[in-house]
Amino acid sequence: MVLTDVWCSSGGLTPDGSLVQTGGFNDGDHVVRVFNNSCGKCDWVEIPFGLAQRRWYATNHVLPDGRQIIIGGRRQFNYEFYPKASPSEKSYSLPFLLQTSDPKIENNLYPFVFLNVDGNLFVYANNRAILFDYKLNKVLKMYPGIPGGEPRNYPSTGSAVLLPLRVVQGTVAVVEVLVCGGAPKGSFLNAQNGRFDGALNTCGRIKISDPVPNWVMETMPMGRVMGDMLLLPNGDVLIINGGLNGTAGWEFGRNPVFNPVIYRPDNPLTSRFEIQNPTTVPRMYHSTAVLLRDGRILVGGSNPHQYYNFTNVLFPTDLSLESFSPSYLDANSSGLRPTIISPATQTNIQYNQQIVIRFTVPNTVNLNRISVTLVAPSFNTHSFSMNQRLVVLDGGTTTKVIGESTTYQVKTMAPSSNNIAPAGYYMLFVVHQEVPSEGIWIKIH
């Protein structure tokens, strides 16, 4: 049982699969909570002063050495680590968070943080981003501001993903970030006065690995604030939940967006977005979404009120769960879908190890359209999935297994370093013609 307030906290998984949850509100703002189910009947362990600073609306990211960095939070322009290098280790100043903070409403909470393949962190707050060496406490690069200068972080809540990392001969040449949606400047204050501005319908995409990076802007089919962005096993991006007007915060969202959208990053610039069939449940403030091992997306929640309010409000509190099935789960794709035979789930994999995966496919296989992907489990809250990461493994030679009519095997290589894939658990998928198998869990170390 959790005994302290986890409201608007953050978290991530350790390399051994333990869930670490940090911060929250009131008595929970300095607390670290750890849950490890390896013993079968475990309970939460709470560390009352595991954090040096109050963390509320902060962001966690798993680091190559297995620690987690906790960045920002309300009126916290600094970062710290868990676990600590020593009991006396404190927080470290990050002036960039102060520079991107609006004095009227911070607009840079839950910053978007991604581990670059060089071991440094891409940190996006409000409308700007940096490449940050957390070991030396040094900003290595200031990226250009996103065109238009509109805020994208809480409460002008957009979302972001690190696009799939494609490994070729052990390295990743191109690293891209996609930031979508949000609310215009002043929207939070306007919502307080009863005016609900239209959400942003733009996405910015940037190659953070380029020597001279620039944003490329794209237009979504509709505006969206408080939307969740999820990496799918085949490398596409799902954009789901949220509203057409307003901002995050109590009672400040309007006009739910019922249609999910698929973004296909490898398509030509003008044909990347595809509108999906609608749901009927408004998923507004405090809703969530997470990728399941079978390829579906588990969607749940919505609580736009200070207390749980189930009646006589515009959007009642909704504690239901539902699943979204991408088109690769349609019945007409079932003949293309692989089923992994080996290795067994929970297999341990070492860096640079060759992985041999056996799988079956009901129909004829296109040997040139087989890939293997790893997806890191994420911690989703307030429209951002912390630690979300997808790696497309190196090369891969697919052959038919002699004597088996529908069995094939693909040989590929595990990631070469913990900068590409920090140690820990991943879901491994075989993807055939954009249709993924059900995933298996592997542990990289």
Side-chain angles (χ1 to χ4, degrees):
M1 179 182 295
V2 173
L3 301 176
T4 53
D5 197 333
V6 301
W7 180 32
C8 303
S9 58
S10 52
L13 293 180
T14 64
D16 70 357
S18 298
L19 173 60
V20 172
Q21 187 177 40
T22 53
F25 189 57
N26 285 335
D27 66 345
D29 60 11
H30 282 74
V31 177
V32 173
R33 308 163 197 86
V34 181
F35 183 83
N36 186 326
N37 197 39
S38 61
C39 63
K41 293 183 179 180
C42 298
D43 200 353
W44 289 90
V45 175
E46 301 204 28
I47 306 165
F49 291 97
L51 299 174
Q53 301 291 342
R54 178 177 186 251
R55 299 293 171 189
W56 194 32
Y57 298 88
T59 294
N60 290 31
H61 202 294
V62 177
L63 299 174
D65 64 4
R67 293 180 302 160
Q68 293 185 33
I69 188 169
I70 305 106
I71 299 178
R74 180 147 288 174
R75 292 181 287 279
Q76 295 295 339
F77 311 118
N78 51 65
Y79 64 96
E80 62 182 288
F81 301 97
Y82 180 81
K84 306 294 185 195
S86 70
S88 61
E89 185 181 33
K90 302 299 183 183
S91 61
Y92 302 84
S93 176
L94 183 53
F96 171 71
L97 294 178
L98 179 60
Q99 295 160 10
T100 54
S101 178
D102 186 320
K104 295 182 179 178
I105 176 66
E106 285 174 83
N107 249 337
N108 66 354
L109 302 178
Y110 284 123
F112 305 142
V113 181
F114 300 107
L115 176 67
N116 192 12
V117 296
D118 63 2
N120 298 303
L121 296 175
F122 175 88
V123 182
Y124 183 103
N126 196 332
N127 53 19
R128 295 162 51 193
I130 57 172
L131 185 65
F132 183 60
D133 184 334
Y134 61 89
K135 296 178 181 177
L136 299 178
N137 192 17
K138 182 179 179 181
V139 175
L140 303 177
K141 181 183 293 185
M142 293 287 298
Y143 292 96
I146 196 166
E150 302 288 10
R152 307 282 178 157
N153 296 90
Y154 180 93
S156 296
T157 302
S159 191
V161 293
L162 181 72
L163 290 176
L165 301 173
R166 299 185 181 276
V167 183
V168 179
Q169 296 182 347
T171 63
V172 177
V174 177
V175 182
E176 294 185 272
V177 169
L178 180 70
V179 179
C180 290
K185 293 176 183 176
S187 294
F188 186 80
L189 297 177
N190 289 340
Q192 288 179 318
N193 294 314
R195 192 175 85 201
F196 303 97
D197 297 333
L200 300 175
N201 67 349
T202 54
C203 296
R205 179 168 168 172
I206 188 169
K207 293 181 180 179
I208 69 173
S209 52
D210 273 8
V212 185
N214 286 296
W215 291 95
V216 175
M217 300 305 292
E218 305 182 46
T219 303
M220 297 189 291
M222 71 284 286
R224 194 182 299 254
V225 63
M226 298 180 290
D228 289 283
M229 295 174 67
L230 277 297
L231 292 168
L232 299 179
N234 63 359
D236 290 343
V237 180
L238 172 67
I239 308 173
I240 195 168
N241 298 336
L244 285 169
N245 295 82
T247 74
W250 302 134
E251 317 292 346
F252 289 163
R254 294 293 186 274
N255 298 323
V257 183
F258 292 110
N259 288 92
V261 170
I262 295 289
Y263 176 86
R264 306 190 192 280
D266 295 332
N267 278 12
L269 183 61
T270 57
S271 60
R272 290 177 178 163
F273 294 98
E274 181 182 286
I275 298 175
Q276 307 296 290
N277 294 330
T279 182
T280 59
V281 181
R283 302 289 184 185
M284 303 293 278
Y285 190 42
H286 289 145
S287 58
T288 191
V290 65
L291 174 67
L292 299 177
R293 192 168 58 86
D294 63 8
R296 295 177 299 161
I297 303 297
L298 182 67
V299 182
S302 185
N303 183 46
H305 322 289
Q306 187 171 359
Y307 303 104
Y308 279 21
N309 197 333
F310 298 96
T311 58
N312 301 320
V313 288
L314 189 59
F315 302 113
T317 296
D318 194 313
L319 304 181
S320 67
L321 296 172
E322 59 184 327
S323 64
F324 170 78
S325 294
S327 58
Y328 54 63
L329 293 176
D330 290 351
N332 58 11
S333 296
S334 61
L336 301 175
R337 193 176 196 201
T339 298
I340 296 175
I341 300 173
S342 64
T345 193
Q346 305 286 337
T347 293
N348 289 326
I349 303 292
Q350 295 182 344
Y351 289 103
N352 269 325
Q353 176 184 330
Q354 185 182 71
I355 308 172
V356 179
I357 305 161
R358 285 201 170 194
F359 62 95
T360 61
V361 178
N363 292 350
T364 303
V365 169
N366 183 336
L367 298 180
N368 296 317
R369 296 190 63 188
I370 294 288
S371 61
V372 180
T373 62
L374 300 179
V375 182
S378 59
F379 184 101
N380 176 283
T381 187
H382 289 75
S383 302
F384 182 55
S385 292
M386 303 172 195
N387 308 304
Q388 189 173 207
R389 195 174 194 84
L390 188 150
V391 180
V392 183
L393 293 186
D394 202 349
T397 302
T398 306
T399 56
K400 197 169 186 299
V401 175
I402 296 174
E404 299 285 344
S405 60
T406 61
T407 304
Y408 302 81
Q409 73 175 22
V410 56
K411 295 181 180 180
T412 187
M413 297 296 294
S416 58
S417 80
N418 54 8
N419 287 341
I420 295 174
Y425 283 92
Y426 291 79
M427 288 179 281
L428 181 148
F429 298 88
V430 174
V431 182
H432 174 229
Q433 297 188 53
E434 309 306 318
V435 178
S437 66
E438 185 168 304
I440 62 170
W441 285 106
I442 66 163
K443 184 180 180 182
I444 298 179
H445 60 95

